[in-house]
Each structure stands twice: as structure tokens, then as C-alpha cells.
Amino acid sequence: MQKFTRLTGVAAPLPMVNVDTDKIIPKQFLKTIKRTGLSEGLFYELRFDEDGNKKGFVLDQPAYRDAKILVAGENFGCGSSREHAPWALLDAGIRCIIASSFADIFYNNCFKNGILPIALPQEQVDLLMDDAERGANAVVTVDLETQEITGPDGGRVQFEIDPFRKHCLMNGLDDIGLSLQKANKIDAFEAKRRQEQPWL
Amino acid sequence: MSAGRTLFDKIWESHLVDRQDDGTCLIYIDRHLVHEVTSPQAFEGLRLAGRQLRRPEATLAVADHNVPTTDRSAGIADEESRIQVETLIRNCADFGVPYIEVDDPRQGIVHIIGPEQGFTLPGMTIVCGDSHTSTHGAFGALAFGIGTSEVEHVLATQTLIQQPARNMRITVEGARPPGTTGKDLILAIIGKIGTAGGTGHVIEYAGRAITDLSMEGRMTVCNMSIEAGARAGLIAPDQATFDYIKGRPMAPKAGAWEQAEASWRNLPSDPDARYDKEVTLAAAEIAPQVTWGTSPEDVVPVTGRVPDPDSAPDEGKRQAMERSLAYMGLTAGTPIGEIAVDKVFIGSCTNGRIEDLREAAQVAKGRKVAEGVQALIVPGSGLVKHQAEEEGLDKVFMEAGFEWREPGCSMCLAMNADKLEPGERCASTSNRNFEGRQGRGGRTHLMSPAMAAAAAVTGRIADVRELVG
């Protein structure tokens, strides 16, 4: 997994609430057996009309083509557990999403892919949304180490993050490798379980 | 004396393998369900890292999302769908995972077959790369959806790294009124608390209206916990739970059964257990529910009207409502009962069980699907289909002009050939009315199976209570 330490880039505004994972990547793109190349389907129905013509979606506008940060409305990523949603965002260059709240599974999936989801109070999201509206000038820096966002005018906002998730993201750690180091504890748990609950 | 523990607390604590100083927990996963859409990249990850499955026997795989619901003898026509199913078959063979073949009579939607096979048991932790894993919470199992990276983690370690959830209890007091079902209860709940109302929490459903439900109805309620934003839904196991499980192929056999049941009887929350959040509803106030918009929280009683965006609590919500109405092709103030439908879908992991088909058949019996309406019945599994055929429900449906299909996820998410065309309106028993969910430009109204059947025979959204007295 790619490390996340400090990110500077254009922030794109997506002022919609309840952006669900079907909206982030519709089902026809879930038929892949790979993790890559999914940006093609990112926000597909918001980006393309029925004839496949671009509709001028924010990430297709010249100012936001290289956006690395997305600022969105509350309950971002609700719905399905599809990890294709963060894969598609990552494939399109998005490394950080800022919203007032996230759905649990999506939030979790981001961390497995080197994406930092930041939940902030609505007023702060509103200010960053205003910043993001400035097009190519909407350059924002996100520092995970200091847990601080710096806006285009130098305004700073602190954010909260679970310390273990921060540690894994900053070091690009493989969760499975970490858990396999606890194999003896898993062995002991299973042995006890076989005794106490032999039907399992 | 320590405080009482909730059902969630008990399951969580009994599955703790390790707790780090920072509070991060490693929890043991008893059962893992696998389907073709969210697993290929996980198996690929194992291959690349040279890792094996820790407990193949605790894993069960089935293809459900991509399978056709029409004649399957010629295989899957869509190439990508076929490759995805073939990939699952090869992965299961390579890694020793039990796999239910597409032509096996037990094949069906992963969340329907788990309980049918007795794979789902009280007190367990159950995961699947699918958000509707919450269904299994109806048995008093902690069951939740995970992403593909976590699927890989469970395959390799039989554990997950998790933070404990908070406890929420939703009590539906009193008896369920005639004409309402588990679906109406959960839609009313989501309408009340919103799609983020349960975020960070595990919801325990309680109260007479809940405990009166059959296991099928309880599964419908728990299934849509994710639509309320919750990590999982739970209902305390009771005699109805044990009666459902006993004798199922993978349930504990005689001898072990007594020991298991005695242990399960200790699972319900202690009387003095504390919840971080409590919500109460009165069942008597719940009428058959219908969604009008593009979020499952956009709920109104069938007797209601399409709401006015100007009634929204804030500007963000108002804009979302405007957008929903435009997408749905609806005007504020329209009576729900005047909305005409083009298609009807009865099925899915929410409402594809035998009781759902019985309720729909009761409405369909002796009636005809309205002219111009296409109505699909997609049983949740081969066993549900077989049972329905034993009871003659297939004939009731076909005589009324419904299409009787093969089991799978079908038009709930339209990954196979069953989908809505742009602008088509559907009365659906599924779980999500998101934009494009059932097909690009498709308009979904969520409701119970009996209500969907009522829509099929009247050609519009109709109050089932006026059809079946």
C-alpha cells in the first residue's frame, strides 16, 4: 500500500449529500477481476450522458483534472461494500476525501488503499467547500503527521484520526502481515474455542 | 458489580483475539461467505503474497450477483459476468473453499443460503464482502459487510482488525398492524433515523413487533440495517431462532445441539445493559411504507403524498430532495397511490424468502398483472424456489402473469440481464433506490412483497390493505 504522509493538491468540490457507492462506481464496472483501471467508471453517470458524452462533471473540468482531494457532503460512501469505490477514486488520483461524515465500510476501505478520509464539522467542510470552488487555485495541503489541513489562504484546520490507522497509513503497512504476526494468539483462541464450543 | 452487557458486547468480547493499547482489536471470524464480485482481487492478493487460507472449512462460496435468472443451460451470455463466475470457481478449487455450483439446487443469494444451510448460527461473527451481510444478525450473530482487502485478510488470518462499535437499540412497541411486514418496520425505522442514523453503531432491534416476526421477517429487518448506516443489526435469539436452525445441514447435531442451545440462551442482552443510543417507535402508527426518492430514508406511508422540498430541514437536504424528485420524475404533492409503475421486482436478499413469496402470492391469487406491466418473481435460492413450487405458488404467479425466474440477486442491482430501462418505474422489494441502482435512469420505489404484488395487479402503487382484507 502506498504511504500517506503529506499531500498537496487541488481540492475538487462535490457538494452532494449521501453520495453512495453506486454513484461512485456503478455496477457495470464491478465485473472486473482487477483492482486497477477503475477510474473509467468513476462517477460514471454524473460524468457521462446516455450517449457517452461528457457532461462537465467537476473532475472533468480543466481546473480539477489533477485534483487529489475531494470535498463532499455528509454520509459520503454510503451503500454497498464495494472496494471498487476507493479503487476508482485512487485510480483517478484522489488520495484524500473530506466530508462531515462517512459510511463505515467505505471509510474503512479507504485506509486499506492509502486514501485518507477526513471527517470534519460541517462548518469547516463548508469553508473548505468554498475554497474548493476556486478552481485551480484551490490548492490544499493535508499533513497526516500533524493532522492538519492548510487551505489556499493559509487557514489551518486540525482533524482527528484513529492512531493505529494513522500509523498504518503513514508507513504503508500491510494489515495481513501485521495480523499474521499474531498467529500464536489466533492459534490459542481457536484451541480454546474448540474446547468450549465444539459445534463451531 | 459490572454493568450489564448487550448482545453485541457479549459476542464482541467472546471473539477478541487481541486488544492493542490503542484500543484496536483483532477479532476472530467464525464464518465467511464469499461471492464472485468482491472476491477475485482478494484471492489474487493471496496468490501474489504466497498465502494460504487459514480455515477453508469456515468459508462458503456461491455465485449470485451475475447469474442469469432465465434458462441457465447455455451458461452466462455476458462475457465479463461469465469470467467473474469462472474465476470464483477456479479460486475455490485452488484454495479448497466449499463452493455451491450454479446448477446446484442449493444455489442462491449468499445471505439466503447461509441461514438455509445452518451456516449462520447465534453468537457467531460472520462476514462477507457484501454490505447486506447484516441479514444474518436476525439469528443473534454479529454479521457485517467488509471490503475486498478485508476479505483477503479474513481468508488469510480468520480475523479482522476492528474498532468496537457503539450500541444502539431500536424498540418497536406493540403489535404490527395488519397489512404491514418486517419491510414496513425497517423502512419506517430508516425514515425516522435516516441513512446515517446508525453510523458507528450496531443496532439491536427489540420490542413486540420485532419478536413477533418470523425468522424471515427478522432477516428483512436486519438486512436493511446498512441502509440505516449501521455496521450491523442484531435480534436476540429465542425459540423461533432455535426452531428455524434445528435440523439444517450445517447446524449442530444431536448432543452438540443441546450444548449449543444452552450457550445461545445466554446471548440476549442483560436487563441492565446500557445503550449509547435508544430509539422507540409505536408499531400501531406504521402503515405500509413506500420510498419516493433516491435514498432509503425517503419514506412515506402508502396513504401519503410525494413531499415538498420546501419542507426540508436544511439547504443540503432541500437540494437533495429537488434532485431526487427530478430523477424520479415526480411532483411534490402527488398522492403515492397515483404513481403508475412499469415493472415489478419481487426478490433479493431483503425479500426473496418463502414467506415473502407467500405474501405476494396471496395478493396475486385470482388477479392479473396490469396491462403493460412486467412483473418478475426471483426466488432467493433454489430451495426457496422448490418450496414455493411444492406449495403451488409458481402456478399462482404464472396464472396471474408474473414471470417465474431462477434464483439470484437479479434486478436488485442489475448486474445480470434483469434491469430497468431509462425512465422506467419499478415497484421493488429490494433494498436500495439509489440513482441507477436497477439500471441507468431507472426509478425505484422500495416496498414489501405484498405491496409490490399489489402494484403489479393494479399497475400503480396501491395500498395492499384495500386488496387483501
Side-chain angles (χ1 to χ4, degrees):
Chain A
M1 186 180 79
Q2 208 181 338
K3 288 180 189 179
F4 189 111
T5 48
R6 195 163 191 273
L7 176 73
T8 297
V10 170
L14 186 63
M16 289 171 83
V17 298
N18 295 328
V19 174
D20 58 73
T21 52
D22 276 82
K23 202 172 267 163
I24 298 172
I25 186 154
K27 69 270 197 163
Q28 63 268 34
F29 299 99
L30 309 188
K31 295 186 181 184
T32 177
I33 56 172
K34 301 187 182 326
R35 288 174 195 252
T36 49
L38 280 154
S39 60
E40 178 200 351
L42 182 68
F43 294 116
Y44 191 82
E45 290 176 13
L46 294 176
R47 282 170 59 208
F48 298 97
D49 66 17
E50 279 159 32
D51 301 320
N53 302 310
K54 285 193 176 174
K55 297 199 283 190
F57 181 67
V58 61
L59 294 178
D60 289 324
Q61 295 167 15
Y64 296 106
R65 225 165 256 158
D66 298 320
K68 293 178 182 168
I69 299 162
L70 199 59
V71 185
E74 67 180 59
N75 200 27
F76 189 88
C78 61
S80 137
S81 64
R82 59 187 71 166
E83 200 162 314
H84 307 71
W87 293 337
L89 287 161
L90 188 65
D91 197 47
I94 303 292
R95 296 289 314 276
C96 174
I97 304 154
I98 300 169
S100 60
S101 62
F102 292 88
D104 286 329
I105 304 177
F106 176 83
Y107 185 77
N108 210 18
N109 282 341
C110 285
F111 288 99
K112 312 292 179 190
N113 293 284
I115 298 176
L116 173 62
I118 300 176
L120 290 176
Q122 189 63 52
E123 312 82 71
Q124 291 178 343
V125 175
D126 291 344
L127 291 174
L128 284 162
M129 190 72 80
D130 290 344
D131 287 339
E133 301 281 359
R134 295 194 218 169
N137 295 324
V139 176
V140 170
T141 295
V142 177
D143 191 322
L144 181 55
E145 168 93 74
T146 58
Q147 298 179 213
E148 194 172 67
I149 302 168
T150 309
D153 297 330
R156 288 160 192 256
V157 177
Q158 292 287 318
F159 61 90
E160 295 290 318
I161 183 172
D162 167 70
F164 181 69
R165 284 181 161 142
K166 175 179 175 178
H167 170 71
C168 290
L169 210 48
M170 289 201 63
N171 296 288
L173 296 180
D174 166 21
D175 273 2
I176 300 177
L178 292 177
S179 294
L180 285 173
Q181 288 169 15
K182 296 179 178 171
N184 57 343
K185 287 189 173 175
I186 305 172
D187 289 342
F189 182 92
E190 285 181 341
K192 182 162 162 272
R193 198 153 184 78
R194 270 194 297 278
Q195 290 247 303
E196 292 171 358
Q197 296 178 298
W199 64 87
L200 286 177
Chain B
M1 201 182 126
S2 66
R5 296 185 302 157
T6 63
L7 170 55
F8 167 72
D9 296 337
K10 293 180 190 185
I11 301 176
W12 181 266
E13 286 164 20
S14 69
H15 286 81
L16 266 182
V17 173
D18 185 43
R19 190 202 307 260
Q20 295 173 192
D21 292 340
D22 61 17
T24 303
C25 297
L26 190 66
I27 65 160
Y28 193 75
I29 302 301
D30 294 311
R31 294 280 195 266
H32 187 185
L33 291 156
V34 172
H35 66 72
E36 79 277 19
V37 181
T38 56
S39 66
Q41 296 87 350
F43 283 110
E44 191 57 24
L46 291 181
R47 264 193 204 96
L48 289 171
R51 287 168 178 151
Q52 289 297 311
L53 245 69
R54 184 172 174 97
R55 279 190 71 194
E57 75 281 8
T59 316
L60 182 63
V62 71
D64 55 6
H65 284 61
N66 279 284
V67 296
T69 60
T70 47
D71 180 19
R72 292 172 178 174
S73 52
I76 303 175
D78 181 90
E79 193 189 357
E80 286 185 298
S81 290
R82 182 175 52 74
I83 290 171
Q84 211 165 42
V85 173
E86 286 171 356
T87 304
L88 178 66
I89 296 171
R90 184 168 52 88
N91 285 333
C92 289
D94 288 357
F95 288 91
V97 175
Y99 169 71
I100 297 179
E101 304 270 355
V102 172
D103 57 3
D104 188 300
R106 298 169 299 163
Q107 184 269 342
I109 307 171
V110 70
H111 307 307
I112 305 250
I113 65 166
E116 273 180 355
Q117 295 305 315
F119 188 75
T120 302
L121 299 173
M124 280 181 163
T125 48
I126 302 174
V127 295
C128 175
D130 192 288
S131 59
H132 291 109
T133 309
S134 59
T135 311
H136 308 265
F139 292 81
L142 178 61
F144 52 94
I146 55 177
T148 299
S149 296
E150 290 186 313
V151 168
E152 185 181 340
H153 194 283
V154 176
L155 292 172
T157 69
Q158 207 59 38
T159 64
L160 271 181
I161 299 172
Q162 293 273 301
Q163 301 287 339
R166 291 188 291 275
N167 282 289
M168 177 170 183
R169 179 163 62 184
I170 296 180
T171 307
V172 190
E173 290 175 338
R176 193 161 36 89
T180 60
T181 65
K183 184 63 164 286
D184 301 297
L185 299 185
I186 189 64
L187 285 174
I189 289 168
I190 297 164
K192 184 176 171 94
I193 70 172
T195 49
T199 302
H201 294 76
V202 167
I203 299 176
E204 181 177 340
Y205 301 95
R208 183 180 161 194
I210 298 292
T211 53
D212 276 356
L213 290 169
S214 64
M215 291 313 296
E216 285 83 356
R218 294 180 191 185
M219 284 189 255
T220 302
V221 170
C222 287
N223 172 275
M224 289 188 72
S225 301
I226 186 73
E227 273 64 57
R231 289 204 199 163
L234 281 171
I235 294 174
D238 59 12
Q239 196 58 45
T241 320
F242 310 141
D243 291 345
Y244 179 100
I245 297 167
K246 200 167 188 178
R248 299 213 172 243
M250 299 175 78
K253 301 289 180 286
W257 173 266
E258 287 70 23
Q259 196 185 351
E261 190 185 317
S263 143
W264 297 338
R265 286 193 186 277
N266 292 324
L267 285 168
S269 299
D270 298 332
D272 58 340
R274 296 259 294 276
Y275 294 84
D276 302 288
K277 214 169 173 182
E278 290 249 25
V279 174
T280 303
L281 286 83
E285 291 168 15
I286 298 173
Q289 304 283 305
V290 178
T291 61
W292 58 267
T294 56
S295 167
E297 69 190 14
D298 299 339
V299 169
V300 279
V302 64
T303 50
R305 289 169 184 270
V306 175
D308 189 338
D310 289 339
S311 67
D314 58 67
E315 181 56 20
K317 286 268 157 53
R318 197 190 66 77
Q319 284 179 10
M321 283 176 82
E322 294 271 15
R323 185 184 164 88
S324 287
L325 289 184
Y327 180 86
M328 293 296 289
L330 293 173
T331 312
T334 305
I336 295 296
E338 287 179 10
I339 300 172
V341 301
D342 304 297
K343 284 188 174 158
V344 172
F345 170 63
I346 297 178
S348 84
C349 59
T350 311
N351 279 127
R353 284 169 285 268
I354 188 66
E355 182 181 279
D356 302 313
L357 302 192
R358 286 178 190 143
E359 287 170 359
Q362 209 194 335
V363 178
K365 196 175 173 83
R367 294 190 170 93
K368 291 282 178 202
V369 171
E371 183 135 355
V373 173
Q374 184 189 19
L376 304 188
I377 311 274
V378 183
S381 73
L383 295 182
V384 169
K385 182 169 187 259
H386 178 74
Q387 173 75 28
E389 287 171 350
E390 290 277 295
E391 297 178 16
L393 305 184
D394 56 328
K395 294 199 177 57
V396 170
F397 287 125
M398 287 191 283
E399 278 164 17
F402 288 82
E403 295 175 28
W404 183 245
R405 296 292 188 91
E406 298 296 325
C409 299
S410 181
M411 211 198 277
C412 173
L413 84 166
M415 270 189 85
N416 68 354
D418 310 334
K419 59 184 69 158
L420 298 180
E421 296 301 323
E424 277 189 332
R425 192 178 297 285
C426 182
S428 180
T429 67
S430 54
N431 41 57
R432 289 186 177 135
N433 51 350
F434 297 154
E435 286 180 26
R437 172 78 177 182
Q438 294 192 291
R440 182 165 190 157
R443 295 160 172 168
T444 304
H445 294 275
L446 303 176
M447 62 190 78
S448 75
M451 283 286 291
V457 298
T458 59
R460 59 184 170 81
I461 298 175
D463 190 339
V464 67
R465 297 171 298 185
E466 290 169 8
L467 274 76
V468 182

